[in-house]
Amino acid sequence: MNAVLTTISEYFVQSIATVLFLPLWVVLMIFINSSIPFLASKKMTLNLTLGSSFLGFVFAVFSLFYCIKNPQALVENNITWMSTDFQISFGVFVDNLSALMLVFTSLICFVVQLFSFGYMKKDESFHRFYIYLNLFMFCIFGFILASNVIQSYVFLELVGVITYLLIGFWYKKRSATRAARKAFIINRIGDVCLLIGIVVLVYFSVVFNSAQNMVTLSYSTLQFAVETLYSMVSDNAYLAIGVLIFLGIMAKTAQIPMQNWIVGTIEAPAPATALMNSFGIVAVGVYLCARFYPLFILSKSLMIFITFIGIVTALIGAYVAMSQNDLRKILAYSTSSQLGVVLVGFGVGAFSASIFCFVVHGVTKALMFLVGGALITSLKNEADIRYMGACREKLPLYAFSFFIGAISLCGALFSGFYSEASLFNSVLDFGNEFLSFGFLLFVFMSAFYLFRAYFLIFEGDKKDDISQDFSEWTIKCSIVLLSLIVIFIGYILRGCFGDFIFFISPDKLNYLNLVQNVLLLFVVFGAGFIAYQLYMAQNKTYIILKEKALNKSNLPYKLSYNAFYFDKVSDWFAESLFLRLCRFFDFIEKYVIGGIFVVLALTTRVFSYIFSRSQTGNVQSYVTYSLIVLSGVLAVVAVLYILGSLMGV
Amino acid sequence: MNFLSIPVLIFSPLIVALLILSPFFPNNEIKIRRFSKAFAILHFIYSTLFLLFFNPTNFGWSYQKELTFFNVSWLKTLGITATFGMDGLSLVFVILTSFLVMLAIIASKSMIRTKHRIYYPLILILQSALLGVFCAKDVFLFFLFWELELIPMYFLISQWGDRDSSAAMKYVVYTFFGSMLMLLGMLVLYFYSFSISGVLTADIESLSMSENVFAMWFQAFIFLCLLFGFAVKLPIVPFHNWLAEAQVSSVTPVSILMAGVLLKMGGYGIIRFNIGLFPEVFSNFAPLLIILGVVNLLYGACLAIVQTDIKKIVAYFSLSSMGLVLVGLGSLSEAGFEGAVFQMVSHGLIASGLLMLVGIIYLRTKTREISALGGLSQVMPICMYLGLIICLGAIGVPLFSGFPAGFMVLVGLLLSDIEPQAFLVCMIVLCVLGAVLSAGYILRLFHKTFFGSVLSQFRADTVQIDEDGNEITVVYPKRGITKSEIVVLSLLAFAIIFFGVFPNSVLDIFEVTSDIILDFMKV
Amino acid sequence: MDFLTDIKVAFLPELIIAGFVFINIFLSLFFNKKFYKTSQWIAILGVLSAFAAIGMVQAEPTYQAFNNSLICNVYTVFFKSLILVASFFVILISHKVIKKKRAKAFEHFSILFCAILGAMLLVSANDFLSAFAALEMLGISCYLLSALLKNYRAKESSLKYLISGIVASAVFLFGVSYIYGITGTINFDNLMLALEGYQGSMLFALASIMVVSALTMRISAMPFANYVPDVYNGSSYPVGAFLSIVPVVAGFSFLSRFLLIVSPYSPALGVVIMIFALLTICYGVYGALRQTDMRRFMGYSSTIQSGFMLLVLGVVNAYNISSLLYYLICYLFMALALWAGLSMFYNSTGRDDIGAYRGVAYSRPFYTTAMIFVLMAFAGLPPTSGFLAKFFVMSAIARLGFMYIIFLLVALLLMVVGVCVYLKPLRVMFEKTSENINMPNKAVFTKITLYVCTAVTILLCLYSAKIIEFCELIAYSL
Amino acid sequence: MSVVFNIGLYHYLILALVIFCIGLWGIVVCKNIIKLLVCAEFILNAAGINFVAFASYVDVENLSGLVFSLFITIFAIAELVLGVLLLISIYKYKRSADVEKLTDMKG
């Protein structure tokens, strides 16, 4: 039995490239399906898509199995993509990390696709949405299975493109297209920084490491490559390369100062938002960070930089989320903040805990966004939590699963407990008081905004008429499925993570430490209690406090509500500074460079006028001109001769 | 392969053009159009046959043919021969030319409504000239074809565009000005190499100044003369002023040829002449070229961002893209060189696609003002999707043809021997800044035209004036785009994706040629 | 008899032309009006027979006739055949003009033949006296030719031509007289002997400059070129064609022979000629830019071309002269083609302002194609012989050395303006118009001239190796 | 008898030059066409004087300068005649012999 399983898993691993191309085939099929008017069938689209993602899941599970069976075994197949001074290959690369990511990505894709059927059924662009989802699957699988840095970059940008498409899915909405464009450009900025880093890496790999040319910067040799690099270049140069690469990761994971685009993801259809915020574009960043971990860890200052960015984003994101009124915005800022913490984990050297944390966050966030999306649709597209209330009675499933998600996300119970605790442990081990305090603050704020959202939406008075339950079976099914995953996944994974996913040597996750656990729980439930007092119990003292806090002129509130004015600053920068510069160039183009030609043309005209006017028609003037020219020439020649004879030449 | 004859390839469009012009050809719009379309397709197939029988590992010229007139060389006494040759580099451009001319002629169906009798022959004459430039193996033959392109282009710009002949004149003056200086350089080069070698010859390869027989300032003089001619064509920044105006005032198929092929003549000339003949001067000038390229890149991008005419945006996009070519060539490394050539091919496709989009939009809305446009996705969705692919290509997203070029240029830049390294890194940073800006203005173009509220002035039927002054109403099909337009756009989109996914399909063709040229430079 | 032998051996064509002068005069006494067609045929016959006679002359080695005042060699034969070819086509396109003035048809041709004779003698002239006589013969005939139209403008143009001509002649004579005074001879061969070892003096330099600048009158170059547009404006199209080709060809033949002898002893001459040439081009291009009358335009245009031809004479060597010869051949055909095209248009519409050409491209595409090629040839664009001709001129100057590059540069830049000049009529031809231009196809000869000369203009570019070899041969024979 | 003025070649040349300049001056300045033609005679004959002078001082054996001056006279007359003819026909149109009015064609 075991032998058979091994054989099968080996087969699956070897043909893992199928996963990559299956979605493309599905895209083609959906395209054909949708363009034949009388045959177009939504069921068929759904089945094809689900089939492909399920098959992907199966492949992923068997690969994971293979990886568990053969620890530290790599599977790598490459073909040449581009060859010049150096060769760039495309290929698949399966190790523990990619197998694990593949499992979760395909799983979430499956769930989201299932959910989307109910959610998008009535939309006219149903097929288009599924095409996008499948393209997304292609890109993300390509990214996860990438065998080298350049391939990663290629698919990373493609994921950015798909994100752009998904955000701008409802392109008739101005806000959607604007958000899409913004997301794309900010990601692009990160991407090009990453590109510079990669170009420099390629350069060093070509120059110093010509034996490795065949597969430039393959992940299997990256460790060796970066060590060589570290020994070759100065610390500052190394730091610069690291920062450039990390800038790419920052853009993808929505870190300060490139976090603003994440709010734009709410413009996408809810399932797409869920995907993007869980195992979509943000996963790309985290995964890339894990892949480049060998590079980062060599430089102490780089790690400090990562930690710093992470914790600042975590705090700012959570702080901003506290005052938001749009449910989806709360969740979006929460994503940015949670990923900050994941990066903090990387920064303090807790590789496996970070990945664990990220996986748990992914599934949880997917659940919450799906619930949120279904909920908002049920409420006739009302997204403002101030106008919701008492939804628990009518929509118990949503309330329950949202609660599960919230509890898990703030690390109190279920999966979140394991991940948060192990991460906290690592942070404490790191031994920086500010960092530990920051982490606790983050946990407090996260718990606060999650409970605030829960209380405002599902408890309290009924504030608006709640419509009927938006109950497609696929929606319910997927939410239930995801809730179950959220509940159990941490428990399942808690043991294997340190053994299975680790950097260089296994490090056991340490999530059971009574003092710390109690501290965390205390903070979480403290926040929960405050939220309860503020939004449920209507306690007088708290109300006064709240009103004081929500005063329009209160700076902390304004900062939080307006997300620290990052939008405004960047807009000012783009509008006032950059566009002015461009207009200045335009001015130069029009009047200086264009003017040269005008002046030339004018000169020609003037000359032409002079010549033509000098042709007076009077023959005497002609003779005069001739004689003037002639006598002038004669005089010059004569003078020259005389001068020549005087000089004695 | 005996049936692959370069003279046939080059001169057949000319002969067909004369055939259409001759009084014997039926003066029927449809017949003329179909005939030229059929010919263009056949010509494209014929040119791909060259690729089919092309041996990429072949060292030197793969196809070579001297054209004689009654067994006498063209200008025998002066050592100037009408010799055509094709190596990998030429082949790439020949196929690009043939492909884009074919697309331009297909696109002409909806874009051109008048004067078919003259329009199609002019396009075909232009094609001959372009092919001649890419295949000429003799300096003055090259110059002849270079000049030959001028007059058809003048009429194509001035007659079928916005009726603003000043732009066409500007084009002619700029180009002719450049080519006059180029001629000066060529003549000086020709006679001085004669005075050294004692052999009168104008063969490109035998004029090379690899050995240091002349003083450096003298070589630099000739180099600059030649570069000036190409700089006007490419265009390099202070000499680019004609581009935007000529683009804006010419009709779509002509702009396609202009951006797609004409600009490439400049790049090709720099490769063949400035690099091929003056390797040493070139390596001295390389940092300057890189700086010029970066200036091109950023200046073009900055201008594109503030334009309100969508065709101008595309024109400045071309300017910006050509900057990358210059950077790649200046990097003096194989990757940079190949990246530059790849960029030229890729830009040929992408710019054509963008111009086609602009043309389609202009035909239906009668405006190119960006503020007056919007919401076209709702009336022409197919156009939007194809446009999306082209725009992504323009932005330089991987797996589209723009990316491999940019990537190779960047790596090539770093791999070059130019000191100091910090300079190169600065240039790379500026180049990628250009990539960010390109995302900005291309997305602006895409969003402002296709997204937003539906346009009021969009009409699915358009009234046009035909040759006799009658009004004809052209009704566009339901999806807002005609079949010929779909064909053009989807062929371009396909090519963009294909070359993005398989960059080696292009790189392999001219790899050996680039090796030769670069080896030459290193010696 | 010596005199007769000379004629028989070397000057049969001139004799034939002279004979036809008299035949025409004779016939004009008896035939008029009805026989205007015959007059054209007779003129064609005359030119053709002269052409045939050229084949019979002894050209190698140089034959000295009439006491060495005229010579006959390959060089002169070449020029004479150019003149005869040009005259042939001019007579072909004269159809409409002689139809207009029927009674004077024979007289017209007799004057034309006089001019041809003068030009041919000028080509052969081997001393200053015969050159002067030939120049005057050519000149006076040309003054008459330009006065032939029956309107005021013709007379005015003729008078301008005459007065400019007299001044030029006087300057020429003055210069020649000094040369004569310095060397004591007017014969070229003796002059060459006399100048051997001559160090050169200021007076000699001034005299040679005077002679050269007087000769620019005949080749319509600066400083004596101002009359050109006016004269062309006042004369009929065939006469314009004749004036723009035959005196130019003859003038250049004489000028280059003169320079060959004189320029080694007059070092400033080369630079002066180049300056004259650049002035001429300048005058031509800037003047032509504003023209609306096609004949005036042609006047400026022929000065542009002369300027380019004069440019190569800055330094007289075999290569330069061969490029001049090639240029002359090309110029001959393109000028004939353009004049034919213009006269064809004028004859059918009666208008010669540039606006009349609006929209020709649409009603007469083939005609327009030919005109495009011809104008491209004038502008120096490929694939026409005009391109190669300019190319040779430029190459000849580039070949001279780095010091001459500044002249080359200026000429090249002026060529840019030149392109604008020649694009102007083309642009007008392509302008959209509602009126349909009706051009009857009756003028067969004119059409033949246009298309044949256009074809030759293009073919000269392609099949040029032999022609250039030929030109070099002739240049080296000098 | 002593000769006060020994008239040599240079005197003739200077005389010719002066006449030449006077003629040119006249051509440039005179308004009347007849005067213009007379001045034209001046300049042509000035050259003739030169020739005769040179013939008698330099080229004594051949005297080709003398022949030359004869030719000059002949052609000068021919041109004069032509000029007068043209003047007559112009006068028919313009009723004036003023050269400044003959500017129908210009520019």
Side-chain angles (χ1 to χ4, degrees), chain A residues 80-86 88 90 128 132 150 153-154 157-158 161 164-165 171-172 174 177 181 184-185 188-189 192 195-196 199-200 202-203 206-207 578-579 582-583 585-586 588-589 593-594 597, chain B residues 170 174 240-241 299 302-303 305-307 316 334-335 338 377-378 384-385 388 392 395 397-399 403-404 407-408 410-411 414-415 421 432 435-437 440 443-444 446-447 451 500-501 503-504 507:
Chain A
T80 303
W81 180 55
M82 192 165 86
S83 62
T84 156
D85 273 352
F86 48 88
I88 294 174
F90 272 16
R128 183 159 64 94
Y132 283 2
I150 294 153
Y153 178 78
V154 165
E157 274 227 51
L158 285 178
V161 171
Y164 163 77
L165 291 178
Y171 52 75
K172 286 167 200 170
R174 266 249 186 257
T177 55
R181 193 166 60 167
F184 188 85
I185 288 175
R188 181 90 181 161
I189 293 171
V192 296
L195 182 64
I196 300 174
V199 165
V200 175
V202 171
Y203 167 70
V206 173
V207 173
F578 185 66
L579 276 188
C582 291
R583 290 215 180 86
F585 280 135
D586 197 39
I588 288 182
E589 167 78 8
I593 296 180
F597 185 81
Chain B
K170 200 168 189 175
Y174 262 91
H240 66 285
N241 199 253
Y299 188 75
C302 284
L303 286 179
I305 283 176
V306 288
Q307 296 308 315
Y316 286 118
E334 193 192 335
E338 291 185 354
S377 57
Q378 293 164 48
M384 180 189 85
Y385 292 121
L388 180 66
L392 290 177
I395 293 168
V397 169
L399 295 196
F403 175 71
F407 186 72
M408 277 190 281
L410 290 186
V411 179
L414 208 52
L415 282 172
Q421 207 111 47
V432 300
V436 175
L437 295 182
L443 285 185
R444 173 164 171 263
F446 187 68
H447 281 233
F451 297 154
V501 177
N504 261 354
L507 295 178

Side-chain angles (χ1 to χ4, degrees), chain B residues 36-37 40-41 44 95-112 119-120 123 127 252-254 256-257 260-261 348-353 356 390 483-496:
Chain B
S36 17
K37 197 197 292 178
I41 291 169
F44 175 61
I95 293 175
L96 181 72
T97 308
S98 197
F99 180 63
L100 288 182
V101 168
M102 180 180 78
L103 291 190
I105 287 183
I106 295 175
S108 303
K109 187 182 176 187
S110 53
M111 308 285 178
I112 303 293
Y119 172 80
Y120 289 100
I123 291 266
Q127 183 182 14
T252 305
V254 180
I256 286 179
L257 288 181
V261 195
L349 301 170
I350 292 166
S352 307
M356 189 68 202
I390 292 161
K483 261 184 210 150
S484 63
E485 288 161 348
I486 289 186
V487 167
V488 173
L489 279 182
S490 46
L491 276 177
L492 284 170
F494 173 77
I496 289 169

Side-chain angles (χ1 to χ4, degrees), chain A residues 367-368 371 397-409 413-414 451 454-455 458-459 525:
Chain A
L367 171 68
M368 295 187 76
V371 171
L397 174 64
Y398 295 166
F400 186 59
S401 43
F402 190 90
F403 189 69
I404 291 172
I407 292 282
S408 168
L409 199 59
L413 280 175
F414 309 130
F451 280 115
Y454 177 77
F455 288 135
F458 292 103
E459 308 292 341
F525 285 114

Side-chain angles (χ1 to χ4, degrees), chain C residues 401-443:
Chain C
F402 213 72
M403 304 328 289
Y404 287 90
I405 286 221
I406 183 73
F407 291 106
L408 183 56
L409 195 65
V410 175
L412 286 171
L413 296 186
L414 286 172
M415 253 177 96
V416 178
V417 189
V419 166
C420 302
V421 168
Y422 289 109
L423 276 181
K424 194 177 158 193
L426 284 185
R427 195 167 67 208
V428 174
M429 284 180 192
F430 276 88
E431 265 171 26
K432 199 75 190 154
T433 176
S434 53
E435 62 188 278
N436 203 5
I437 292 154
N438 185 23
M439 284 178 66
N441 288 339
K442 281 178 192 164

Side-chain angles (χ1 to χ4, degrees), chain A residues 364-420:
Chain A
T364 316
K365 194 49 75 61
L367 171 68
M368 295 187 76
F369 262 112
L370 288 186
V371 171
L375 183 74
I376 289 166
T377 319
S378 304
L379 299 176
K380 295 176 184 162
N381 289 328
E382 178 57 69
D384 196 326
I385 52 174
R386 285 172 300 177
Y387 304 115
M388 299 179 184
C391 293
R392 186 157 56 92
E393 288 105 56
K394 282 212 170 177
L395 307 164
L397 174 64
Y398 295 166
F400 186 59
S401 43
F402 190 90
F403 189 69
I404 291 172
I407 292 282
S408 168
L409 199 59
C410 54
L413 280 175
F414 309 130
S415 311
F417 167 72
Y418 300 105
S419 60
E420 204 98 343

